[in-house]
Amino acid sequence: MVINLVQKYAFFCIQSLSLNFNSKYFMLQIKYIESNKELVTQSLKKRNWGDTQLKIVQKLIETNEQRKSAQLKMDQALSEHKKKAELIQGLYKSGEVTKANELRTEVQQAKETIKAMELDFKHRTQQLEELLLQIPNIAHQDVPTGKSEEDNQIIKTGQDTLPSPIPGAKPHWELAEAYQLFDLKTAAKITGSGFVLFTGKGAKLQRALISFFLDEASKAGYLECMPPYMVNEQSARATGQLPDKEGQMYHITEDNLFMIPTAEVPVTNIYRDLIVKAEDLPIKLTAHSPCFRREAGSYGADVKGLNRVHQFDKVEIVQIALPEKSYEILDKMVSYVEGLIIKLGLPYRIVRLCGGDLGFTAALTYDFEVYSVAQKKWLEVSSVSNFESYQSNRLKLRYKDEKGKNRLCHTLNGSALALARIYAAILENYQTESGIKIPEVLVPYCGFDRIT
RNA sequence: GGAGAGUUGGCCGAGUGGUCGAAGGCGCACGCCUGGAAAGUGUGUAUACGCCAAAAGCGUAUCGAGGGUUCGAAUCCCUCACUCUCCGCCA
């Protein structure tokens, strides 16, 4: 059954392998934008940018021109300045003190002008950087146009028919109450709404899932990491949480640290400011972490139980890859995540995000949804993305190519998997009239095969 | 939290106002030597931005980060971050 599904999946892999990879331009840097203005504009339109917003592209190019001419002026002035300083030194050595002093006064006066030039250059560079931070990643050509999640493309459904609920099927929050698996009320007392207190077999199931996911990732060649759960501003900026998702993170203002919204942030930042060897690629990392998300403003029907919480556990997989390999790797990662869901025996589908739903930093994203049988609802449990060189550019993560030139790596990541919702789906899909069965792969991790 | 000592290239390490992007060593790459290797020996070996159609070349910046003093800063002054040692507190 598992093999069969994997084979079916191969068809989809081959399809997306045919994506054409433009090897010459793969950075989202100012140089890229300058030479690909049309493509960038098209991509922004795909992300539903209006004409007013699109003006930023032109502004970017103009600002860069200004920056360049400012640098040229500054460099020339500095060069002259340096030469004069050397001259003064020579004059002192040869005993021509009067001449030296004269020149000193002259140079002293020129300092003001140079300072102004430096300031001008700095301002323009900053201005450019601020503008660049506002440009999202170029959407891959396969990204469908669309405004919201309704326009996402379902590219695969794991099963022909959806399972039907047993008579009297309960949503997971009712099951949790019945079997004392987790307690939202007490968590709300301790912390606030949107937090969870797991207890007994409920807590053990949670731990089992984490261990299972980490072991699977190790088997697939990912290096296990345990990163810090708070990051500094620079790290948050490098992976693109700042400035785009400012309000999504918990911010510890006193120390200016952010609670991580995903392990992607600390794990990817391991490689910030590094130049890696091409032969070391791909680098494969995995980590479990709690994920903290404020989810400000998202209230409504879909927040019940574990559907949307402020703290949930997740195992993340991250890869750093050669640009020409990244889409092949994206397919492998998608296939890996699919394998996990199949092992857990949950009904699922794979969705390709449309331009309106695509994250700021991603070029192409596949979401995994599992079917929650009692809620009769699809729950997003994984998101696998290729960021191409977008994060690398911010991370300054590069590798040396055959010619010894430094080029930006590509980064990819995916949830494998997000616990809270997978947990909910397991409870609902595995409920029987006499208790909840434990999926076979988890039994060795749990130490029990039923919750009664 | 208090006191002190540090932070220099891939690594080690010299350098307390000038010719220092930085001695020396290790490593790495290429060559010579060798039957082959080691040893020996020679050369090369940072990053970013800019000028140039591009390469070559050239310019500028970078010695933890940011400011300042100076004609000139790795070197002097200030602020911050990190590392180490001691004290305090603590799982």
Side-chain angles (χ1 to χ4, degrees):
Chain A
M1 156 99 170
V2 171
I3 294 163
N4 200 357
L5 280 167
V6 171
Q7 273 172 348
K8 265 193 204 166
Y9 179 64
F11 170 66
F12 151 65
C13 286
I14 289 157
Q15 272 192 319
S16 40
L17 267 178
S18 64
L19 309 169
N20 82 339
F21 170 69
N22 190 337
S23 64
K24 194 170 175 195
Y25 301 115
F26 61 105
M27 310 182 199
L28 198 52
Q29 296 170 304
I30 183 62
K31 281 181 188 170
Y32 175 88
I33 296 171
E34 271 176 342
S35 42
N36 294 274
K37 197 180 155 192
E38 200 39 47
L39 197 144
V40 171
T41 309
Q42 285 312 313
S43 163
L44 291 173
K45 279 186 184 158
K46 213 176 204 179
R47 286 180 183 268
N48 307 307
W49 278 39
D51 288 345
T52 326
Q53 284 172 296
L54 285 172
K55 282 186 185 146
I56 192 176
V57 178
Q58 190 52 38
K59 193 161 178 216
L60 213 59
I61 291 168
E62 281 163 19
T63 308
N64 192 40
E65 286 307 319
Q66 288 164 359
R67 182 194 120 247
K68 286 201 283 196
S69 69
Q71 184 177 347
L72 194 61
K73 269 205 312 202
M74 179 188 73
D75 281 357
Q76 281 165 351
L78 277 171
S79 178
E80 247 174 74
H81 188 77
K82 266 172 78 166
K83 275 182 199 140
K84 281 181 187 159
E86 273 169 42
L87 232 126
I88 291 169
Q89 190 200 157
L91 289 173
Y92 275 126
K93 272 194 178 159
S94 58
E96 297 167 85
V97 179
T98 330
K99 264 195 180 171
N101 286 341
E102 271 170 32
L103 194 54
R104 260 177 66 178
T105 340
E106 187 196 318
V107 175
Q108 201 171 4
Q109 279 157 3
K111 277 172 84 174
E112 291 279 315
T113 327
I114 291 179
K115 228 171 227 175
M117 283 176 179
E118 282 176 329
L119 213 67
D120 182 49
F121 172 68
K122 207 171 154 184
H123 283 329
R124 295 191 190 282
T125 307
Q126 267 170 8
Q127 207 182 347
L128 180 70
E129 270 162 17
E130 271 160 37
L131 288 170
L132 275 171
L133 280 173
Q134 292 173 40
I135 305 287
N137 203 348
I138 302 291
H140 190 275
Q141 62 175 28
D142 279 10
V143 170
T145 48
K147 294 233 184 306
S148 71
E149 56 182 288
E150 271 139 56
D151 302 312
N152 291 342
Q153 228 170 42
I154 297 165
I155 54 164
K156 182 174 179 183
T157 305
Q159 52 292 308
D160 297 333
T161 50
L162 288 175
S164 37
I166 59 159
K170 291 177 180 164
H172 66 273
W173 53 88
E174 284 178 25
L175 292 166
E177 212 175 331
Y179 299 104
Q180 297 181 11
L181 301 176
F182 61 83
D183 180 346
L184 297 167
K185 271 193 188 141
T186 307
K189 180 180 81 177
I190 302 167
T191 308
S193 74
F195 290 86
V196 193
L197 167 69
F198 290 95
T199 53
K201 284 188 175 173
K204 286 186 201 296
L205 177 58
Q206 177 86 351
R207 179 155 58 90
L209 278 163
I210 294 166
S211 296
F212 169 66
F213 291 143
L214 282 174
D215 284 352
E216 289 294 309
S218 288
K219 274 188 228 160
Y222 292 89
L223 178 72
E224 188 172 334
C225 307
M226 279 184 107
Y229 299 151
M230 293 184 210
V231 294
N232 58 30
E233 198 182 328
Q234 224 182 335
S235 294
R237 202 167 275 271
T239 35
Q241 274 66 36
L242 291 178
D244 182 47
K245 294 176 188 157
E246 185 101 53
Q248 179 69 286
M249 287 187 292
Y250 287 97
H251 185 198
I252 293 115
T253 46
E254 197 174 353
D255 302 290
N256 197 25
L257 295 173
F258 297 87
M259 303 294 293
I260 58 170
T262 156
E264 162 199 343
V265 182
V267 170
T268 312
N269 269 283
I270 296 171
Y271 285 89
R272 173 149 53 85
D273 295 324
L274 290 183
I275 299 171
V276 297
K277 289 185 194 147
E279 61 260 37
D280 291 342
L281 298 174
I283 292 163
K284 302 169 78 178
L285 304 161
T286 184
H288 154 255
S289 85
C291 302
F292 304 92
R293 299 188 181 180
R294 293 184 62 231
E295 306 288 0
S298 57
Y299 304 102
D302 63 334
V303 301
K304 253 198 137 169
L306 299 180
N307 289 353
R308 188 185 288 273
V309 284
H310 290 310
Q311 178 190 324
F312 61 94
D313 287 84
K314 180 157 66 69
V315 172
E316 186 79 1
I317 50 174
V318 171
Q319 290 210 39
I320 297 163
L322 289 170
E324 51 271 34
K325 291 275 169 68
S326 71
Y327 279 96
E328 193 181 316
I329 285 172
L330 179 66
D331 289 340
K332 279 189 195 155
M333 287 170 78
V334 166
S335 159
Y336 170 77
V337 172
E338 184 179 24
L340 291 179
I341 297 175
I342 291 168
K343 281 180 189 169
L344 290 172
L346 293 169
Y348 70 96
R349 66 181 188 189
I350 307 172
V351 155
R352 184 165 10 202
L353 295 195
C354 73
D357 210 15
L358 188 67
F360 194 82
T361 54
L364 182 61
T365 297
Y366 293 103
D367 270 8
F368 281 78
E369 298 175 339
V370 296
Y371 189 67
S372 189
V373 74
Q375 295 182 74
K376 297 194 174 61
K377 201 157 141 175
W378 292 97
L379 297 178
E380 186 197 327
V381 292
S382 179
S383 191
V384 184
S385 306
N386 188 351
F387 302 94
E388 298 194 9
S389 59
Y390 194 87
Q391 286 184 332
S392 295
N393 185 35
R394 292 194 181 181
L395 287 159
K396 299 200 175 61
L397 162 54
R398 291 156 297 169
Y399 71 97
K400 275 201 194 299
D401 69 9
E402 329 71 59
K403 287 178 193 157
K405 255 198 151 179
N406 293 332
R407 300 173 74 201
L408 292 170
C409 298
H410 278 195
T411 61
L412 304 98
N413 68 49
S415 355
L417 289 161
L419 277 237
R421 290 181 189 159
I422 275 284
Y423 191 101
I426 289 174
L427 297 190
E428 293 186 18
N429 288 285
Y430 278 88
Q431 64 181 306
T432 67
E433 271 147 42
S434 59
I436 297 161
K437 264 175 53 188
I438 298 294
E440 215 171 296
V441 287
L442 294 178
V443 173
Y445 287 94
C446 284
F448 49 87
D449 61 3
R450 280 193 99 72
I451 294 170
T452 49

